[in-house]
Structure formats: structure tokens, C-alpha cells
Amino acid sequence: MPRWKSDLIPVSLRSYQRRWLRADVLAGVTLAAVAIPETMGYTSIAQMPIVTGLYTIIFPTVLFALLGSSKLLVVGADSATAAILAAGLAGVSISGLTPDSPKWVAFAGLTALVCGGLLAIARLLRLGFLGDFLSASVLIGFLTGVGIQVLSGQIPDMLGISGGTGNWFKKQWHWITSLSQISWTTFAFAAGAILIILGFGRFAPKIPGAIVAVVLSIVLSATLDASAHGVAIVGAVKGGFPPVGLPSGITWSDVPKVIAVAFSCAVLIIAQSAATSRSFAMKHGDPVDINRDLIGLSGSNIAAGLTGTFVVNGSPTKTQILDGQRGRTQLANLTMSVVTLLVVLFFTGVLKDMPEAVLGAIVFLVGVDLIDVSGLRRIYRRRVVEFAIAAVTGFVVFAIGVEQGIILAIVLSILEIVRRQYNPTYFVVGVNKEGEPTYQPAIAGAQSEPGLIVFRYDADLFYANVNRFVDDVERLISTAPDPVRCLILDAAALSDVDYSAGISLANLLEYLGVHHIEFKIARVDSELHRTLVSYDLMELIGEQNVYGNLVDAVAAFRSEARPV
């Protein structure tokens, strides 16, 4: 095939093999059976009309399949971004901006468009790596907090009582003190849905329990006239082709009002989608192109904004389902989109009798799945500090707000990077008779051998840690058992020195000269050497005191120390 023709084929569908077709189509149909009720449930989090949840897995999914690189990543409505969206729009003070209103839908579409634009900018600047700045522990804590917020928000609908107002704690206290008003018929629908979903997940995992629960609840609700017995139903669901065009009633002056929430969504999308795409690509030995996926995610969110729906994200749970059904490429996701479009065009009428409690139950279980207890346990066993960070992030998400939680997650991740650079591991290194390096903690009184300290610092030197670096060196010199005649800096883990650190390093060299201590540096890479030259530090160090390895540096000290 000519190169220009192959370039027209979506990256995710290149090298497609005909024998994959049956598996992809079946996986797509199964995925639709899971995604349709799930995305309908996410509208209760985003506080959007139910049909808009279905819209998220039509054109947005198609755009990612055509523009992205991941063969499996499923893009659509997501609980975390839906929660960020709802919290963000609730904080925008605009007359008439109320949940489920046309203006709310319009601003949700605008948020998706701005988010798509931010993702496009991230791609142009090759900022896909930003997803790495949300550490695994912070992301687990954030999603756990979202899970707690999501599941707790569904409890009133599942019990048939009002949701209450105020902060998270007031809302929980409200339904707890209102249990005497519980609608047992409503609760029966919710409990039945949960039992069906869990039962199929346990004993018949290949059958989507959520779609079974939805179908049975609609049949029972219509047969028993559940609405006449106090059970809230979704009512008429608008069908037809998704509306295409810019959100109605929106002007350029409205864009700044949603930038903050769009930015929060974009950061989470980059982090969550990148992690999901990378993990499944590595599992199957496929190449990973996060920046290419950013094009797909940008296109997906722009498509969402132009087709009457809200922000979309890469879904780890739906991607896992697709992989479990042996789907091989984005053709499975395209199949899901076709099935969903058929539902929107011809079958929305049957949804009117579905109890809201059933949707609440579906979302409740989504929230439960987001709470990663096993992940938190692993973090606690291995890194107590990171567990504390995850716990604080999760608490802020459900107790204060999702937007505040994502900001805190970013700040904590950056602080963790700074902390690691500010307080890295460092050693006093020795060389044994076999020429092998030995490492001991760089504590007071440590030395490599009489008269020699070989110091290894496992971080780049920059303005925030260089004073500590200098203090540690001076402490080692002043507390050494024998007078120090030579300091060797093991630069194996040192790749850069910023301007401030260069000044401090020059001062350290002067300090060593005053105390008649020779300075040598070993294992210097070419980039670090150029930096030292540009700072005129090599004039102070001397090229003769630069060594390619520790053994030669230590041997030079020993030969100089040997009596003539």
C-alpha cells in the first residue's frame, strides 16, 4: 500500500487483521451493554439530562478512534470528570445556571470545548508528560475521594428521600436523620439492582449485570406502575440524533468563567488516560504515544462540546472490560458507538419507566469500585508518607470539593518531587580491595578511608538543595576521624547544576582550598561537564581532577598520599 494511503488509516487501526473482526464486534456490543447504563448514571453526577450520557459514547468515542493511538482506550463519560464538572459549574455565579437546565447543558458543552482546546495546546507543546506529575499514590487518593463522594451522593436517591443541602457532612447527616421517611419500594428497586449486578459479576461475569438490572427494573416499574407508589422514574427521555453545533446562548465572554474547571478536567484526563493507555499498551506489547492520544482526547472533548454533551475521559474500567472481552482495536469502540446511536434514535422511549433508584445503584457501585482499598493498603505498607498524602487528598475531595482536590493533588505531587530533590539519599562511598564500591550512610564521623571522603549525592543540584549539600559536606569534613586531605564527588547521579548551585559550589571549592583539601570529581557525564565549564568551575577544579570512574579517582588519591 502506498505511504499516503496508509497515513489515511487511523493509527489505532493500522495493521488490522481480518480475524480480529468477530471478536471486536462482539466485544463492542458487550461494551455497549455495560457503557449505556453506566453513562446514563454518570449524568446524575454531572447533573445533566440522561440522554447526554449516551451522547458521550457516540461522536467523542468515534473521534478518539480516528485520531488517537491507543488500540483499546475507551473514551466516554467518566465519574471523576463528571464530579469536577458539576462542582465547578455549581461555583459559577450566573443567573439561571441550575442543574439539568438548558443553560447548564450549554455551559457543560462550553467546558468540554475549552478542555479540548487545552488538551490541543498540551499536544502542541508536547506536554503529555504532565500526566506523570500526578503520582500513583495521589491519583489513588483522589479517585478514592471521588468514589466516596459519588457513592454517598446516590444514597438519598436509593432510599427515596431528599438529598439535603450544605457541605458533605451536612448532607450525610441529613439522610441519616431522615431514615424514618425511607420509601421501601424505592429501596427495593435499588437493592435489587445491586444484587443483580453483583450476582452476575460473581457467577456470570460475561453477562453485563447492569443492563439486566435496567431491563428488569423497567419491566417491573411499568407493570406495577411504580411511579404511582412513590417511586421516582426518569420520565420521558428525548431521543433523536445528537444536536450538532455550538452550545446555545454562549458568548466569548463566558469562556473565562469555565477555564478553571476545564483546566482541572484536562489535568485529570491527561493523568488518568495516559496511565490507562500506557498500562494496556505495555500489557499487549504495543507502542505508547501519549502525545498522539492527546490529539484524540482533544478531538473527543471538542466533539462532546459540539454534540450537546459534557467532558469525556479515558475510562480504566470500560477499557478493562473491553480487554477482558478480547477486543483488539478501536473497532470495538466504534461498534459500541453504533449500538448506542441506534438506542438514541429508536429506543429512548422505553427508558421512561426506569426508576431513578436503579441509576443511583449503578453509580453507587461505580463509586465503590473507585475506592481502591487494596491500593491504599499497599501504599501504607510500603510508604507511610505517601499513604498520608493519598489520605489527605481523598479527604479534601469528598469533604471540601473535587476542584480543590485536584489542585491539592497537583500541589502535593510537585511538593513530593521537590522533597525528593531536597532530601535525596546520599552516601560516603569506599572502594574495597576488589575494586567494588561500598556505600555507607553519610552521617557524622563517616569517611571512605583515612584522609578521604567520597561523597555521592543522588539528585541534581539546584537553588533549593545546594545549601543542604554544602552543609552536609562541611559536616562530614569537620567530623571525620582523620584530617581530610581529599574530597571526591561521585557525580554518577548528578546531571545538572543550576546557576545558584554553581555559585554555592564555587564557594565550597574556596572553602576546601582554605582547608588545604584537594577536590576531585568522578563519573561526570558530558552534559554536566559542559555546565561546569560554562560556570568557569572547571578552572577551579582542573581537568586533571576529573575521572571517568571511582576506582581511578581513589587510586589517584592513594598514589598521591603514598610516601615518596
Side-chain angles (χ1 to χ4, degrees), residues 241-253:
F241 200 81
V244 178
L246 291 170
S248 61
I250 295 297
T251 64
W252 280 106
S253 62

Side-chain angles (χ1 to χ4, degrees), residues 502-525:
I503 294 173
S504 296
L505 196 54
N507 293 335
L508 176 62
L509 292 172
E510 289 184 5
Y511 169 88
L512 296 175
V514 169
H515 289 80
H516 307 291
I517 299 172
E518 187 178 15
F519 180 80
K520 300 179 187 294
I521 186 168
R523 300 203 275 194
V524 180
D525 64 38

Side-chain angles (χ1 to χ4, degrees), residues 115-134:
C115 182
L118 292 174
L119 291 170
I121 293 172
R123 169 59 185 91
L124 289 174
L125 300 179
R126 296 186 178 274
L127 299 180
F129 68 89
L130 288 178
D132 299 331
F133 278 79
L134 281 183

Side-chain angles (χ1 to χ4, degrees), residues 4 11 20 37 66 84 92 107 119 127 166 187 212 225 245 259 274 296 317 453 464 489 521 558:
W4 66 271
V11 175
W20 295 346
L66 297 178
I84 293 174
V92 178
F107 269 81
L119 291 170
L127 299 180
F187 176 70
V212 175
D225 193 14
I259 284 180
T317 53
I453 292 176
L489 176 61
I521 186 168
R558 290 172 178 170

Side-chain angles (χ1 to χ4, degrees), residues 5 7 9 87 92 143 146 153 156 236 284 291 301 317 320 334 383 449 514 552:
K5 288 186 177 181
D7 288 343
I9 300 174
V92 178
L143 293 177
V146 170
H284 295 284
N291 285 308
N301 278 282
T317 53
Q320 177 64 57
L334 293 174
R383 302 277 293 192
E449 58 185 69
V514 169
D552 289 345

Side-chain angles (χ1 to χ4, degrees), residues 129-447:
F129 68 89
L130 288 178
D132 299 331
F133 278 79
L134 281 183
S135 67
S137 56
V138 165
L139 198 56
I140 287 173
F142 176 82
L143 293 177
T144 295
V146 170
I148 293 172
Q149 185 199 59
V150 166
L151 71 85
S152 62
Q154 306 309 310
I155 293 175
D157 285 342
M158 294 166 62
L159 300 178
I161 58 182
S162 62
T165 58
N167 61 36
W168 184 84
F169 297 100
K170 290 181 179 179
K171 290 178 180 178
Q172 306 320 302
W173 183 247
H174 175 81
W175 71 258
I176 290 172
T177 56
S178 302
L179 287 175
S180 59
Q181 304 171 24
I182 187 174
S183 168
W184 291 104
T185 309
T186 299
F187 176 70
F189 273 104
I194 289 175
L195 290 175
I196 289 172
I197 295 170
L198 294 179
F200 274 89
R202 176 70 175 85
F203 300 106
K206 292 187 176 181
I207 301 176
I211 198 70
V212 175
V214 167
V215 171
L216 289 180
S217 69
I218 291 173
V219 172
L220 282 175
S221 175
T223 303
L224 302 175
D225 193 14
S227 60
H229 295 84
V231 177
I233 59 175
V234 301
V237 177
K238 180 182 177 181
F241 200 81
V244 178
L246 291 170
S248 61
I250 295 297
T251 64
W252 280 106
S253 62
D254 293 318
V255 172
K257 300 171 185 175
V258 300
I259 284 180
V261 62
F263 176 78
S264 297
C265 288
V267 170
L268 181 62
I269 289 169
I270 293 174
Q272 185 171 305
S273 297
T276 304
S277 178
R278 183 179 288 111
S279 64
F280 282 94
M282 293 179 69
K283 179 179 178 181
H284 295 284
D286 295 326
V288 180
D289 188 349
I290 301 302
N291 285 308
R292 178 79 189 198
D293 283 341
L294 282 179
I295 298 176
L297 292 165
S298 172
S300 294
N301 278 282
I302 292 173
L306 294 176
T307 55
T309 188
F310 52 97
V311 174
V312 295
N313 189 11
S315 170
T317 53
K318 288 192 279 291
T319 305
Q320 177 64 57
I321 291 169
L322 178 59
D323 186 51
Q325 293 295 321
R326 301 185 183 280
R328 300 299 297 269
T329 69
Q330 287 289 331
L331 184 63
N333 292 330
L334 293 174
T335 302
M336 174 189 69
S337 297
V338 171
V339 172
T340 306
L341 181 60
L342 292 175
V343 170
V344 168
L345 291 175
F346 304 111
F347 300 105
T348 53
V350 303
L351 300 174
K352 66 182 181 65
D353 290 311
M354 182 169 60
E356 290 183 358
V358 173
L359 277 183
I362 292 170
V363 178
F364 178 87
L365 291 177
V366 170
V368 171
D369 288 339
L370 285 173
I371 301 174
D372 192 352
V373 176
S374 60
L376 290 171
R377 284 176 177 170
R378 284 194 301 271
I379 297 171
Y380 181 77
R381 287 197 304 265
R382 298 170 184 176
R383 302 277 293 192
V384 176
V385 172
E386 291 194 41
F387 172 80
I389 292 173
V392 169
T393 302
F395 177 80
V396 169
V397 167
F398 72 78
I400 299 178
V402 180
E403 274 196 283
Q404 292 83 352
I406 192 69
I407 292 171
L408 179 67
I410 295 169
V411 170
L412 289 178
S413 292
I414 293 174
L415 287 177
E416 176 65 8
I417 294 171
V418 174
R419 185 193 69 81
R420 289 173 183 271
Q421 290 290 311
Y422 179 74
N423 187 29
T425 54
Y426 46 95
F427 308 94
V428 170
V429 185
V431 177
N432 60 23
K433 295 179 180 179
E434 289 75 30
E436 299 291 334
T438 60
Y439 299 88
Q440 59 177 311
I443 58 176
Q447 63 180 14

